[in-house]
Amino acid sequence: MGLIDNEGLQWSNLSRKQGSNPNAMKGSRVIYLDNAATSWPKPRETWRAMENFMRHIGANPGRSGHRLSIEAARIVLEARMAVAELLGIEDPLRVVFSRNATEALNLAINGILRPGDHVIISSMEHNSVMRPLRALEKRGVEIKVLACSPEGELNPQEVEQAIRGNTRLIVMNHASNVVGTLIPLAKVGETACRNGVIFCVDAAQTAGAYPIDVEDMKIDLLAFTGHKSLYGPQGTGGLYIREGLEGVLEPLMRGGTGSRSEFQEQPDFLPDRYESGTPNTVGLAGLSAGVRFVLSQRIVQIRANEEAKTQLLIGGLESISGVVLYGSRDARKQIAVVSFNIAGLTPSEVVMELEEEFQILCRPGLHCAPAAHQTIGSFPQGTVRLSPGYLTTEEEIHVILEAVGKIAARVTEGGVAHV
Amino acid sequence: MSGEKFPGGQKASYRVVLFYSTSGTLVAEKILKRERIEYKLIPVPRHLSSDCGICLRFLREDEGRVMEAIGGKVEIQDIHSL
Ligand SMILES: Cc1ncc(COP(=O)(O)O)c(C=O)c1O
């Protein structure tokens, strides 16, 4: 993978070698399996674009008419166009940028729902959906949570049955960040559309990792984050807003936009209506390059690659005795996120051993999605989550499987986990 | 851009088209570039609007082509002679 720069990896290897771990694995490379939290390493294009902005452009986009300001605004537009191209969005100006998916989801949820409205979600939602909704519930919004199967699967017919006269919004994540299970988006979108309900998708885990087309899937609002499978930096994300929705979607914030400065009221056109204040232009420069990377690799190719590695991981984990695997156990039905536990150990014990002994970095616990863990039966202790990325190698998957095998064997042999 | 001569002394051979946002202006710019229509990105002249943004200036005789190229793709706020 010539496009990837491993300077970051080598640097962390160096500090690791100088660290206190005498058992460091041969080669002592860290294996990063936390791509569902943030993808890493990034394609070199991402940070080169950011460096280019910081060194050579640097100005405030759209605030002034000078050439550096225009150059900065072009960078922001390029990022919009790249995201639009990836997601099948015809008009790039309908992509509004935010700090992350959480902010985009807060905009969508708080911007649409009013007291008396009814909203439908699944039981696999992330807290970035749950928490804004629970706060609105106190102000008179009714929430219907559709229970998914223990594998995280949603029966789309239940969506239809849950719709009522005052159902205003359906919010669903495209894929769970706990077990990776995909939701049948197109079916839910079709149901929403037929019933005149606004359909909002949390694509934090799938944008850049799984094909999405907002037209085919009848998506009205789509929240994405830049730092996961779009290979941009943290601090970037956004919301796609279907034409016409700006009439009913209240902005989260109001302020300076560089446009219509003579008016004290917020502009009503996109993207300015939802983008107050100076944007994260350096981040968007990186996001733009990251999305271009995804487009150049082709999303179907990325998906096929990740699906193969996921199947390898699932198959390998299934064959280790003592491992409890969650989710669909079928890579075709999920993205590259796999949750498991080792009987007799807590998730954090496993994760600590993986890091200390094998230099494998991943995330234990509830992954900001307690309801999802309740659904799959791993609440409150949570799971160990392995999330390979496009840049994870097959060889690394084998190393992980071997490591999990060793830890599990120690438990079954009666060895005590050294915590 | 600040060194740009404004058409104070020039004959009104130019038209400018204003958009609602900088993003809109830059989308229109891309279209004109693609259509190989001559244009210049200039700060919005103060007598037109107190906006701090930018607009596209083009030759009057190209107006038909400009309108055809960007019509329906980017919402136009205003169009003026200079
Ligand atoms: C399903 C899901 N939704 C929302 C988010 C929130 O994304 P961010 O932290 O970038 O706001 C995440 C990841 O953290 C996620 O996995």
Side-chain angles (χ1 to χ4, degrees):
Chain A
M1 197 119 318
L3 289 155
I4 308 310
D5 198 298
N6 280 332
E7 274 171 32
L9 274 173
Q10 282 154 9
W11 195 87
S12 60
N13 289 347
L14 199 66
S15 50
R16 254 176 190 286
K17 273 183 201 149
Q18 293 161 348
S20 58
N21 183 1
N23 299 324
M25 256 181 48
K26 52 185 181 312
S28 77
R29 236 177 88 110
V30 295
I31 296 184
Y32 185 82
L33 275 193
D34 199 16
N35 289 277
T38 284
S39 63
W40 191 81
K42 303 291 185 192
R44 148 189 326 191
E45 291 88 329
T46 297
W47 44 267
R48 289 228 170 124
M50 297 174 76
E51 185 185 5
N52 178 57
F53 174 79
M54 290 308 280
R55 288 177 70 170
H56 304 298
I57 303 168
N60 198 318
R63 295 298 190 271
S64 324
H66 58 73
R67 87 169 72 93
L68 289 180
S69 170
I70 292 171
E71 207 42 54
R74 278 205 186 96
I75 283 181
V76 176
L77 177 65
E78 289 299 334
R80 257 187 252 286
M81 296 178 96
V83 169
E85 186 177 334
L86 182 70
L87 303 174
I89 296 163
E90 196 183 310
D91 179 1
L93 302 191
R94 306 213 64 90
V95 174
V96 306
F97 288 122
S98 62
R99 279 190 302 154
N100 45 39
T102 302
E103 189 175 289
L105 288 163
N106 271 270
L107 164 58
I109 289 168
N110 290 296
I112 295 284
L113 293 172
R114 304 282 170 271
D117 285 345
H118 180 245
V119 54
I120 300 171
I121 61 172
S122 87
S123 65
M124 299 302 284
E125 303 311 318
H126 189 270
N127 270 342
S128 54
V129 168
M130 286 293 184
R131 288 179 172 172
L133 283 178
R134 290 299 173 201
L136 285 177
E137 193 174 29
K138 296 203 179 86
R139 289 193 265 143
V141 168
E142 290 176 81
I143 306 169
K144 171 70 185 172
V145 183
L146 297 178
C148 291
S149 74
E151 290 74 39
E153 281 163 7
L154 175 91
N155 175 358
Q157 271 151 22
E158 288 185 21
V159 177
E160 180 95 50
Q161 288 153 12
I163 291 176
R164 306 196 325 215
N166 61 338
T167 306
R168 184 85 174 117
L169 183 68
I170 297 172
V171 191
M172 301 237 159
N173 64 29
H174 186 189
S176 156
N177 65 310
V178 174
V179 281
T181 312
L182 286 152
I183 291 286
L185 268 200
K187 282 191 189 137
V188 180
E190 198 274 318
T191 303
C193 183
R194 192 158 26 78
N195 288 278
V197 177
I198 299 167
F199 183 34
C200 173
V201 172
D202 170 5
Q205 288 295 335
T206 50
Y210 198 87
I212 295 176
D213 186 303
V214 297
E215 292 305 328
D216 289 353
M217 295 167 165
K218 300 198 165 30
I219 297 167
D220 298 312
L221 297 163
L222 181 137
F224 60 91
T225 202
H227 63 99
K228 301 188 201 265
S229 294
L230 295 178
Y231 297 99
Q234 296 171 354
T236 59
L239 186 70
Y240 157 70
I241 301 169
R242 180 172 294 282
E243 192 172 356
L245 280 182
E246 59 272 30
V248 293
L249 181 71
E250 282 295 307
L252 204 54
M253 288 193 294
R254 294 173 177 81
T257 57
S259 55
R260 318 218 87 191
S261 299
E262 66 272 42
F263 296 107
Q264 293 192 9
E265 277 81 36
Q266 189 76 3
D268 56 6
F269 49 84
L270 267 71
D272 296 27
R273 178 166 166 78
Y274 304 104
E275 285 184 359
S276 291
T278 300
N280 177 9
T281 313
V282 60
L284 295 174
L287 175 65
S288 182
V291 177
R292 286 284 157 216
F293 169 78
V294 170
L295 288 166
S296 72
Q297 299 292 301
R298 296 186 52 245
I299 191 100
V300 285
Q301 214 279 114
I302 291 176
R303 167 62 188 163
N305 171 298
E306 293 194 351
E307 192 177 312
K309 280 180 297 204
T310 305
Q311 196 55 54
L312 190 63
L313 194 53
I314 290 172
L317 288 172
E318 265 182 328
S319 67
I320 299 171
S321 95
V323 165
V324 182
L325 197 54
Y326 300 90
S328 72
R329 297 160 188 239
D330 181 348
R332 288 167 305 177
K333 294 185 180 170
Q334 66 171 84
I335 55 162
V337 171
V338 176
S339 261
F340 73 97
N341 270 315
I342 295 179
L345 293 177
T346 65
S348 41
E349 283 166 346
V350 176
V351 165
M352 230 154 79
E353 289 199 37
L354 284 172
E355 168 152 19
E356 306 231 310
E357 206 170 325
F358 302 97
Q359 323 237 12
I360 293 168
L361 312 183
C362 60
R363 180 173 171 194
L366 294 173
H367 316 100
C368 302
H373 281 279
Q374 277 158 348
T375 306
I376 66 170
S378 54
F379 191 82
Q381 82 281 5
T383 57
V384 180
R385 182 182 73 178
L386 301 177
S387 49
Y390 181 51
L391 308 175
T392 306
T393 63
E394 215 170 275
E395 182 198 335
E396 286 174 321
I397 303 282
H398 288 296
V399 175
I400 297 144
L401 291 171
E402 204 177 306
V404 174
K406 281 184 187 158
I407 297 171
R410 246 180 258 151
V411 182
T412 40
E413 283 157 17
V416 181
H418 44 85
V419 182
Chain B
M1 210 53 53
S2 51
E4 246 284 284
K5 279 215 178 53
F6 267 160
Q10 284 176 36
K11 290 185 203 83
S13 55
Y14 291 114
R15 298 274 278 166
V16 289
V17 53
L18 277 63
F19 301 90
Y20 287 102
S21 65
T22 305
S23 326
T25 313
L26 294 179
V27 170
E29 183 200 19
K30 271 189 179 293
I31 296 170
L32 295 192
K33 202 179 271 176
R34 196 177 58 218
E35 297 291 321
R36 296 172 196 280
I37 298 171
E38 217 178 290
Y39 70 89
K40 186 144 189 129
L41 207 49
I42 62 167
V44 174
R46 197 143 9 118
H47 70 278
L48 293 185
S49 155
S50 62
D51 245 344
C52 45
I54 46 175
C55 61
L56 290 172
R57 187 188 74 179
F58 55 88
L59 288 168
R60 177 177 288 279
E61 62 254 38
D62 285 334
E63 180 155 353
R65 290 175 67 206
V66 169
M67 288 303 119
E68 197 180 328
I70 59 184
K73 298 201 180 95
V74 193
E75 203 178 338
I76 293 170
Q77 183 178 13
D78 228 336
I79 180 154
H80 289 277
S81 293
L82 281 186

